Amino acid sequence: MTTATLIVRRARGSLVKRIIGELRGAILAGQYAVGDKLPSQAELAERYQVSRTVVREAIAGLQADGLVEPQQGAGVFVTSRMAPASPFGALDVARVSSILETLELRAAVEVEAAGLAALRRSPAQEEAIVAAHKALVSQIADGGSSTGADFAFHRAIAAATNNRRFVELLDLLGASAIPEIMRQGYLDMIIEEHRAIAYAISAGDEAAAREAMRIHVRGSQRRYRQLLHGDLAQPA
């Protein structure tokens, strides 16, 4: 990854954080009530003088915080005026050991979630999982942050279990449970692993869905453990 690319991505990250902060403040201040529809992506892009990619990343961040929920074909709606307080300690993305602890918890929960989603998902929930995967692929292709889209994919699977506790747990962990990674080889691997999970759930194959999720989360554990021991360069 070139220095110029890193500079562009960091600048975009700053814009995303600014928009998230302003929209979160507006929601918490009551300017948007629960059930209200946010301005369209085009309107927000015009208001903040940014690209739609930046707006999409900001919306994904607000969704990860539990403040908004996109509804396909209808827009983005406010679902809460307060992000849930997490009983978990904040994930220290600078410490690989902290990431490994969170991945261990996710492995225990999300392998089961994938299996249940394969058995219980509705057609609309199946569509939401596929759409979330496509959004992640698009986000990575655009060179944007993958964290929000990645979290949205896992959250869509949790919702497809039709057991709200899975969604509640992921929301408590928040998008920080999926640390920012820019390394292209890692991102390519994520796309393929997510595709396998989505395909297995869509096929209604419980065993394959569990195995695909196990490979994905344990693969992340392995890669970060290698990083901990210095076998991999720190992802930019």
Side-chain angles (χ1 to χ4, degrees):
M1 183 177 299
T2 66
T3 301
T5 301
L6 282 174
I7 291 172
V8 169
R9 289 187 173 182
R10 286 168 181 166
R12 177 161 49 215
S14 296
L15 290 172
V16 170
K17 289 178 182 177
R18 179 172 68 86
I19 296 171
I20 288 176
E22 291 191 17
L23 289 176
R24 180 188 287 116
I27 292 170
L28 299 182
Q31 294 178 30
Y32 297 106
V34 173
D36 281 355
K37 180 180 176 181
L38 292 184
S40 69
Q41 288 188 13
E43 291 171 324
L44 289 172
E46 177 66 24
R47 175 188 300 179
Y48 293 106
Q49 293 296 294
V50 297
S51 68
R52 293 197 186 190
T53 297
V54 170
V55 172
R56 285 197 299 270
E57 290 181 35
I59 295 299
L62 291 171
Q63 182 183 8
D65 285 344
L67 294 174
V68 302
E69 187 68 35
Q71 295 182 15
Q72 191 168 10
V76 179
F77 294 85
V78 177
T79 55
S80 172
R81 285 185 57 191
M82 184 174 296
S86 175
F88 299 96
L91 174 62
D92 181 358
V93 295
R95 291 178 57 244
V96 176
S97 58
S98 178
I99 296 171
L100 287 172
E101 290 168 354
T102 305
L103 285 170
E104 190 172 75
L105 174 61
R106 286 181 54 202
V109 173
E110 294 197 64
V111 170
E112 178 69 11
L116 290 176
L119 294 175
R120 299 177 179 174
R121 85 274 183 242
S122 68
Q125 289 168 335
E126 179 182 344
E127 183 179 3
I129 292 170
V130 173
H133 174 64
K134 289 180 179 178
L136 174 63
V137 174
S138 176
Q139 198 78 1
I140 291 174
D142 288 344
S145 167
S146 64
T147 303
D150 197 329
F151 181 79
F153 174 81
H154 287 274
R155 194 178 187 279
I157 292 172
T161 66
N162 288 296
N163 178 339
R164 59 191 173 90
R165 301 304 182 189
F166 282 95
V167 175
E168 290 172 357
L169 179 57
L170 278 191
D171 284 346
L172 287 174
L173 287 171
S176 64
I178 302 175
E180 181 88 25
I181 296 295
M182 292 296 187
R183 187 172 178 174
Q184 191 58 48
Y186 188 94
L187 294 173
D188 292 341
M189 204 172 299
I190 286 176
I191 290 174
E192 291 307 313
E193 290 173 357
H194 281 198
R195 181 178 288 113
I197 296 166
Y199 182 83
I201 291 174
S202 182
D205 191 330
E206 177 189 7
R210 288 175 186 273
E211 183 60 19
M213 182 63 80
R214 183 179 293 109
I215 288 172
H216 173 54
V217 181
R218 290 188 176 174
S220 295
Q221 289 176 308
R222 183 182 65 255
R223 289 185 284 270
Y224 274 103
R225 189 164 283 109
Q226 289 174 332
L227 192 154
L228 179 64
H229 290 286
D231 297 331
L232 292 176
Q234 172 67 44

